[in-house]
């Protein structure tokens, strides 16, 4: 007979004594269990003790977390969090350097524990650490452990960053500004400053006064990619939190300091592969840089503003008055309307009206002027080439440039905040100081080329823009490392190649929409869904390895979960390391009957996600988190190693509970399998037109009413 689910068998250690093997009754108060353990070793004052895990992060066990104890777990009797916090606080204020260093080492380790952190903070521990840093008497290892403990304690979100003093900020900024500071101290100082900027509006201004961009850029030219990552993260934080009126000023400073070329040469083209966190920070910097265009993108042109109208006059002059002959210019004044039509504006009389829609607003005019001045030959060729055509196939430059600017803003998501966890940066945007404008110049030439290849007319404008969007998005997906590579990839994506790719993709999909085909699909779908369901359940029977969710800078442990072959029980248990094959049921000491499962929740609804703070590293795992809620009020919490495993497990658990499998993977598998099955069943009908409606039933024959005479 299996033991009751509320009884957990564990081993408890105490230095210098034999371990106790006991059964913990989860219904009894934790204090009474600790008292029994203390009595077993004849220890008095049980209220001064607590239980901790013996392995891994060695977290304290509380009434809230005791449900996570598994059979076979090794625990350790330790002094209580409050008593440990009091002792450490006294030791870090002692006069002995060795004793203080050991205390800070232990504090740096214990500060990751939320229970201990709460006790230490309640004793004004953060203020004590702050004063130690402000004193400037700590150096080397001692300072590194002090900063580590401080950052870990603040990461719990128990106290506000606004309480940090100005002298503390100056001291931390001083470590960043020092030319020869220890790497561990520099890393923690950059991380603390980033957290200050992101978590407090008032601290942003203080940090911005102490840290210059030039000092941060200096840290990008080192060989340590971790330091480079923290430096870019702090630059991004300052950029993100800067008031709107200061962002352009900061962007100008970054340009003067050649941030782009330093990142290109020392990070992107460095000898080390780009890690995920660095890729994310480069993506954030790319987004924030492009977001500087938002103001121009959302600014309408004022048709009565002479300075703005002069820009349009300049576009006309460069295109048609290249000889700069004043007398010729006088003659052309009467022909402005014709010129604006040849330039491709929708409003020939007053082209300023074309720039009153936002987006793209004045950004489109900026792009056109850049092309006309910096790539004058290209600009003149495009305009004159199309204005001389009389076959109604001319490509309207003005209208195309405006629509193309709007399209590029959508593709690059100008004006949107960076997406947490995304690392989709484009190296080519770091190869030129005017990357946006150069990108536009490449794309407008592509548009003109595609227009000619399609032999388009004005009626085909939207079709051409759709093809151009596809060409650009396909080329960007190839991650060209430079603008020249982008041009090369766009040349290979001609209109004929796009048609070929579309045809190829269409052949791999089911585009038939006639009623008989739809009816066949509806009949096939339940069979395919049952097939997918069986695959998901088989994968659950094989089982998967999961990492235990922990705070950053802490070693994580593994655990394994699998479904029994009769689909009635989920078996799970802890592992010391990632398994290389299937884990037998005997090694999985805990189980949950499927009949006890009440529901499956995902994302923010998971208990282990609700408990976490809104830090970036927690947001990154939010999309991979799911939990099983089971009787009475328990939860088994998962964080999938990747999106595929997340879909497999959420689908499989929903299938077990008789619910719909709604993951992206199921939709993809369903489309693929239905498409294959449809093509197999329709092989005999190849090249035969399937009618939209069934053929009519013929009339009854005139000889239908007959009899046989057997006589």
């Amino acid at each position: 007979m299996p033991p009751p689910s509320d009884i957990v068998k564990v081993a408890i250690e105490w230095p210098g004594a034999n371990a106790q093997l006991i059964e913990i009754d989860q219904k009894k108060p934790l204090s009474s269990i600790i008292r029994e353990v203390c009595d077993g070793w004849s220890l008095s004052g049980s209220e001064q003790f607590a239980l901790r895990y013996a392995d891994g992060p060695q977290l304290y066990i509380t009434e809230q977390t005791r449900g996570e104890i598994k059979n076979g777990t090794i625990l350790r009797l330790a002094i209580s969090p409050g008593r440990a916090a009091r002792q450490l606080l006294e030791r870090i204020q002692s006069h002995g350097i060795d004793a203080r260093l050991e205390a800070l080492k232990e504090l740096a380790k214990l500060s990751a524990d939320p229970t201990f952190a709460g006790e230490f903070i309640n004793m004004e521990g953060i203020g004590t650490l702050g004063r130690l840093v402000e004193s400037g008497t700590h150096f080397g290892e001692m300072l590194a452990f002090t900063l580590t403990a401080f950052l870990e304690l603040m990461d719990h979100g128990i106290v506000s960053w606004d309480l940090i003093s100005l002298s503390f900020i100056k001291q931390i900024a001083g470590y960043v500004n020092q030319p020869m500071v220890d790497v561990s101290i520099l890393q923690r100082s950059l991380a603390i400053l980033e957290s200050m900027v992101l978590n407090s509006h008032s601290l942003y201004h203080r940090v911005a006064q102490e840290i210059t961009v030039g000092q941060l850029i200096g840290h990008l030219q080192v060989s340590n990619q971790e330091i480079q990552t923290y430096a870019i993260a702090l630059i991004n934080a300052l950029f993100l939190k800067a008031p709107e009126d200061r962002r352009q000023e900061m962007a100008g400073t970054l340009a003067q300091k050649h941030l782009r070329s330093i990142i290109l040469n020392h990070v992107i083209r460095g000898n080390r592969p780009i890690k995920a966190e660095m890729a994310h920070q480069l993506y954030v910097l790319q987004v924030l840089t492009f977001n500087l265009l938002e103001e121009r993108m959302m600014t309408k042109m004022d048709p009565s503003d002479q300075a703005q109208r002069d820009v349009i006059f300049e576009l006309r002059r460069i295109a048609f008055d290249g000889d700069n002959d004043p007398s010729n210019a006088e003659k052309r004044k009467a022909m402005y309307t014709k010129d604006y039509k040849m330039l491709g504006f929708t409003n020939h009389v007053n082209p300023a009206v074309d720039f009153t829609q936002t987006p793209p607003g004045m950004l489109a005019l900026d792009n056109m002027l850049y092309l006309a001045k910096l790539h004058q030959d290209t600009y003149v060729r495009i305009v004159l080439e199309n204005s001389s055509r009389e076959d109604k196939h001319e490509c309207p430059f003005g209208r195309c440039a405006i629509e193309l600017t709007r399209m590029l803003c959508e593709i690059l998501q100008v004006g949107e905040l960076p997406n947490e966890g995304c690392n989709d940066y484009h190296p080519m945007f770091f190869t030129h100081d005017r990357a946006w404008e150069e990108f536009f110049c490449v794309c407008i030439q592509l548009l003109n080329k595609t227009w000619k290849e399609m032999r388009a007319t004005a009626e085909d404008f939207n079709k051409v823009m759709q093809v151009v969007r596809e060409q650009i998005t396909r080329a960007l997906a190839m991650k060209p490392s430079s603008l020249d590579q982008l041009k090369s990839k766009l040349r290979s994506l001609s209109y004929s190649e796009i048609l070929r790719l579309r045809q190829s993709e269409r052949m791999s999909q089911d585009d038939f929409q006639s009623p008989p085909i739809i009816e066949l699909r509806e009949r096939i779908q339940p069979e395919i869904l049952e097939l997918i369901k069986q695959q998901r359940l088989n994968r659950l029977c094989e089982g998967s390895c999961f990492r235990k969710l922990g705070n950053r800078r802490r070693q994580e442990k593994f655990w394994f979960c699998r479904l029994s072959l009769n689909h009635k029980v989920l078996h799970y248990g802890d592992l010391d390391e990632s398994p290389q094959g299937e884990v037998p049921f005997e090694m999985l000491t805990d189980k949950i009957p499927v009949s006890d499962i009440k529901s499956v929740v995902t994302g923010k609804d998971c208990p282990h996600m609700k408990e976490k703070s809104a830090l970036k590293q927690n947001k990154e795992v939010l999309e991979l988190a799911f939990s099983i809620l089971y009787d009475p009020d328990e939860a088994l919490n998962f964080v999938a190693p990747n999106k595929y495993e997340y879909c497999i497990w959420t689908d499989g658990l929903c299938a077990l509970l008789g619910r719909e499998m709604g993951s992206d993977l199921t939709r993809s598998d369903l489309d693929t399998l239905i498409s294959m099955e449809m093509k197999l069943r329709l092989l005999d009908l190849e090249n035969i037109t399937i009618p939209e409606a069934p053929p009519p039933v013929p009339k009854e024959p005139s000889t239908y009413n007959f009899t046989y005479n057997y006589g």
Side-chain angles (χ1 to χ4, degrees):
M1 182 176 179
S5 59
D6 49 16
I7 300 297
V8 184
K9 295 182 178 181
V10 300
I12 301 181
E13 298 176 340
W14 175 253
N18 293 326
Q20 295 185 39
L21 301 177
I22 69 169
E23 292 184 355
I24 292 180
D25 186 350
Q26 295 286 35
K27 294 180 180 178
K28 293 176 62 176
L30 195 57
S31 58
S32 63
I33 295 171
I34 294 173
R35 188 182 308 113
E36 292 174 7
V37 172
C38 290
D39 291 343
W41 282 312
S42 302
L43 298 174
S44 60
S46 62
E47 66 278 358
Q48 296 293 319
F49 292 93
L51 293 177
R52 289 170 59 185
Y53 290 99
D55 301 319
Q58 302 182 10
L59 299 179
Y60 278 102
I61 294 169
T62 64
E63 289 289 355
Q64 292 74 31
T65 62
R66 62 185 295 181
E68 298 175 10
I69 303 175
K70 306 293 187 298
N71 279 320
T73 302
I74 300 176
L75 305 179
R76 178 176 297 159
L77 185 67
I79 59 175
S80 66
R83 185 179 170 191
R86 193 177 307 106
Q87 289 181 359
L88 283 176
L89 199 57
E90 293 172 357
R91 287 166 59 194
I92 63 176
Q93 298 178 85
S94 67
H95 297 293
I97 295 178
D98 292 339
R100 192 182 304 175
L101 178 59
E102 288 303 314
L104 287 169
K105 280 184 181 179
E106 190 172 347
L107 178 63
K109 182 179 178 181
L110 280 176
S111 294
D113 188 304
T115 308
F116 171 85
E119 295 287 347
F120 190 80
I121 290 171
N122 287 338
M123 298 176 186
E124 303 296 330
I126 286 183
T128 302
L129 293 180
R131 287 188 292 273
L132 289 176
V133 174
E134 292 169 21
S135 68
T137 57
H138 281 45
F139 304 98
E141 221 182 0
M142 191 175 292
L143 178 59
F145 285 121
T146 304
L147 296 179
T148 301
F150 179 85
L151 188 58
E152 288 280 9
L153 291 167
M154 293 301 295
D155 273 351
H156 292 292
I158 299 174
V159 294
S160 171
W161 283 89
D162 289 319
L163 301 176
I164 304 302
S165 67
L166 182 58
S167 57
F168 181 88
I169 298 173
K170 287 180 177 292
Q171 194 68 35
I172 296 295
Y175 299 138
V176 174
N177 297 336
Q178 286 179 17
M180 297 295 292
V181 69
D182 185 79
V183 170
S184 57
I185 295 173
L186 176 59
Q187 173 200 324
R188 288 157 178 78
S189 298
L190 289 169
I192 289 172
L193 291 174
E194 181 198 2
S195 294
M196 286 180 184
V197 172
L198 292 177
N199 289 287
S200 170
H201 180 71
S202 61
L203 290 186
Y204 157 76
H205 294 285
R206 295 180 181 178
V207 173
Q209 291 172 356
E210 299 295 330
I211 295 293
T212 66
V213 173
Q215 290 157 342
L216 292 176
I217 287 178
H219 296 306
L220 297 177
Q221 302 177 54
V222 300
S223 58
N224 188 322
Q225 189 174 121
E226 192 172 9
I227 295 298
Q228 292 175 324
T229 304
Y230 277 103
I232 296 180
L234 181 52
I235 291 173
N236 286 337
L238 291 168
F239 210 154
L240 183 65
K241 294 298 181 179
E244 290 190 13
D245 57 340
R246 284 203 58 195
R247 286 183 189 169
Q248 291 289 351
E249 177 187 337
M250 185 173 179
T253 304
L254 295 177
Q256 292 173 5
K257 298 293 183 180
H258 306 293
L259 173 67
R260 177 200 58 77
S261 60
I262 290 172
I263 290 176
L264 180 66
N265 295 321
H266 292 273
V267 178
I268 297 175
R269 293 179 179 172
N271 297 324
R272 300 170 306 282
I274 302 293
K275 295 181 181 178
E277 181 59 26
M278 173 62 85
H280 172 70
Q281 295 301 337
L282 292 175
Y283 155 78
V284 172
L285 182 60
Q286 173 186 292
V287 171
L288 295 177
T289 303
F290 283 145
N291 282 357
L292 295 172
L293 304 168
E294 183 181 13
E295 182 182 355
R296 295 293 284 174
M297 180 182 76
M298 301 307 295
T299 300
K300 296 181 179 180
M301 187 172 188
D302 182 0
S304 63
D305 189 323
Q306 186 60 43
Q308 295 179 0
R309 294 173 63 188
D310 286 344
V311 177
I312 299 178
F313 294 156
E314 182 70 2
L315 290 174
R316 191 207 60 77
R317 185 196 65 76
I318 295 174
F320 302 114
D321 295 344
D323 56 1
N324 290 321
D325 182 359
S327 61
N328 188 38
E330 289 295 326
K331 294 176 185 177
R332 297 203 60 86
K333 284 186 178 179
M335 303 175 65
Y336 277 6
T337 299
K338 181 182 177 182
D339 289 347
Y340 292 144
K341 182 178 181 181
M342 293 167 68
L343 274 170
F345 289 112
T346 303
N347 191 315
H348 308 151
V349 178
N350 186 6
V353 177
D354 287 14
F355 299 97
T356 56
Q357 290 188 355
T358 57
M362 291 295 289
L363 185 59
L365 187 59
D366 296 342
N367 286 341
M368 294 164 72
L369 185 63
Y370 181 89
L371 174 69
K373 287 193 170 183
L374 275 296
H375 298 273
Q376 187 168 332
D377 292 343
T378 301
Y379 168 69
V380 172
R381 177 178 56 79
I382 292 175
V383 173
L384 297 184
E385 182 182 84
N386 287 286
S387 62
S388 61
R389 301 178 71 180
E390 297 295 338
D391 54 1
K392 295 186 179 180
H393 285 280
E394 66 274 4
C395 176
F397 169 75
R399 183 184 177 193
C400 287
I402 293 170
E403 188 58 35
L404 177 64
T405 302
R406 179 188 290 112
M407 180 197 298
L408 297 182
C409 290
E410 292 174 359
I411 292 174
L412 297 176
Q413 300 179 333
V414 175
E416 297 186 18
L417 288 175
N419 184 19
E420 293 290 350
C422 182
N423 55 11
D424 186 25
Y425 80 99
H426 296 281
M428 70 175 184
F429 290 129
F430 292 88
T431 62
H432 200 284
D433 288 329
R434 303 292 295 272
W436 167 265
E437 291 86 349
E438 289 293 325
F439 184 46
F440 169 83
C441 294
V442 172
C443 293
I444 194 68
Q445 293 177 73
L446 167 73
L447 195 158
N448 186 57
K449 173 175 170 283
T450 302
W451 187 283
K452 289 187 289 186
E453 290 175 352
M454 295 178 66
R455 294 191 57 79
T457 63
E459 289 76 17
D460 301 318
F461 184 85
N462 291 331
K463 293 180 182 178
V464 176
M465 297 308 296
Q466 289 174 4
V467 173
V468 170
R469 176 186 283 269
E470 189 170 344
Q471 290 171 314
I472 294 171
T473 52
R474 286 181 184 272
L476 287 177
M478 300 178 195
K479 296 289 183 184
S481 60
S482 66
L483 289 165
D484 287 336
Q485 275 199 19
L486 174 68
K487 294 176 186 176
S488 175
K489 295 186 184 302
L490 288 174
R491 278 195 296 270
S492 66
L493 289 169
S494 62
Y495 175 56
S496 58
E497 177 65 12
I498 292 295
L499 289 179
R500 188 192 68 78
L501 290 170
R502 285 180 174 179
Q503 181 66 20
S504 174
E505 292 168 359
R506 192 176 296 118
M507 291 295 291
S508 65
Q509 298 174 356
D510 178 20
D511 283 340
F512 300 123
Q513 296 298 324
S514 60
I517 299 297
I518 294 174
E519 183 180 349
L520 178 60
R521 176 190 286 273
E522 291 174 351
R523 292 190 180 186
I524 291 174
Q525 185 163 320
E527 303 173 17
I528 301 299
L529 280 173
E530 182 62 28
L531 181 65
I532 295 172
K533 174 183 174 182
Q534 291 304 317
Q535 187 272 340
R536 301 292 192 263
L537 293 176
N538 290 341
R539 278 286 290 108
L540 263 61
C541 290
E542 294 174 10
S544 296
C545 179
F546 301 91
R547 285 183 180 272
K548 286 195 171 183
L549 185 63
N551 261 345
R552 62 181 180 180
R553 300 182 294 278
R554 281 217 305 272
Q555 186 64 35
E556 295 173 330
K557 290 185 64 177
F558 299 93
W559 65 289
F560 197 88
C561 185
R562 62 182 297 193
L563 179 66
S564 64
L565 299 179
N566 61 6
H567 299 174
K568 291 185 177 180
V569 180
L570 276 173
H571 296 264
Y572 63 97
D574 292 341
L575 301 175
D576 292 331
E577 57 184 17
S578 181
Q580 300 302 315
E582 188 175 286
V583 177
F585 289 108
E586 294 75 21
M587 292 181 62
L588 307 177
T589 55
D590 298 290
K591 59 184 179 180
I592 301 173
V594 172
S595 58
D596 288 350
I597 298 177
K598 295 188 289 187
S599 65
V600 177
V601 294
T602 60
K604 294 181 180 179
D605 297 328
C606 298
H608 58 316
M609 291 295 104
K610 291 179 181 178
E611 296 170 1
K612 298 292 176 182
S613 61
L615 296 174
K616 178 166 67 63
Q617 64 267 27
N618 293 326
K619 292 180 180 178
E620 290 173 356
V621 301
L622 194 62
E623 295 182 353
L624 300 177
F626 61 98
S627 298
I628 295 173
L629 307 182
Y630 60 97
D631 289 331
D633 288 308
E634 303 291 334
L636 184 61
N637 301 317
F638 299 74
V639 175
N642 51 54
K643 192 67 176 178
Y644 176 79
E645 288 291 335
Y646 171 84
C647 294
I648 289 289
W649 276 84
T650 52
D651 283 342
L653 293 170
C654 287
L656 278 177
L657 300 179
R659 299 172 186 171
E660 181 181 353
M661 299 180 293
S663 75
D664 295 338
L665 184 62
T666 291
R667 286 192 289 271
S668 174
D669 288 350
L670 185 63
D671 289 342
T672 302
L673 293 173
I674 284 183
S675 176
M676 291 173 59
E677 185 68 18
M678 295 277 286
K679 288 173 182 176
L680 287 172
R681 297 197 184 193
L682 295 173
L683 278 177
D684 293 338
L685 297 177
E686 191 172 353
N687 297 325
I688 297 176
T689 303
I690 300 175
E692 291 290 328
V697 178
K699 294 181 180 180
E700 294 181 0
S702 58
T703 58
Y704 183 73
N705 188 16
F706 59 88
T707 60
Y708 283 103
N709 185 357
Y710 294 100

